[in-house]
Amino acid sequence: MTAPRATKTRTPKIRENLPAPQTAEGLFFHYTPEEAAQWTPFSARTLRDRIAAREIEYVFNGRDNYLTGAQILSLNERYTVKPFSKTHTRVAA
């Protein structure tokens, strides 16, 4: 006889009415990786993996990992590709 297969999957709980990270209240608000994923170029899984590898800044409260709004903004700034502007120089004839 085999053991019954687990059918429950863990769905992350995302709180409602979260402040945006760029607002004054959101800069110091603690977002879970699932909540922060909507404002970053990464998925929640990628954020959790990068936190575990200590590749990005995060807040650890003794049990869970969080990202503040300021950390989300700096993460977006770090991974934003800026357009290349080539300077044109004139050649004197």
Side-chain angles (χ1 to χ4, degrees):
M1 226 160 84
T2 61
R5 192 170 236 208
T7 57
K8 291 185 179 180
T9 58
R10 181 180 172 261
T11 57
K13 189 171 190 177
I14 297 178
R15 297 172 281 186
E16 295 181 11
N17 301 326
L18 294 173
Q22 60 269 23
T23 62
E25 181 185 355
L27 285 177
F28 300 107
F29 190 83
H30 289 125
Y31 300 91
T32 64
E34 289 80 14
E35 295 166 346
Q38 63 182 329
W39 286 294
T40 63
F42 303 113
S43 67
R45 175 61 189 246
T46 303
L47 286 174
R48 284 193 307 271
D49 290 344
R50 287 180 179 251
I51 287 171
R54 296 185 182 183
E55 294 176 0
I56 60 175
E57 295 178 355
Y58 65 98
V59 176
F60 180 66
N61 72 348
R63 188 180 100 178
D64 298 320
N65 298 319
Y66 294 100
L67 294 163
T68 63
Q71 290 168 336
I72 292 171
L73 294 178
S74 68
L75 184 67
N76 285 336
E77 186 67 28
R78 183 176 8 164
Y79 288 100
T80 300
V81 178
K82 304 227 182 340
F84 176 74
S85 63
K86 185 176 180 183
T87 57
H88 297 285
T89 56
R90 296 184 68 179
V91 179

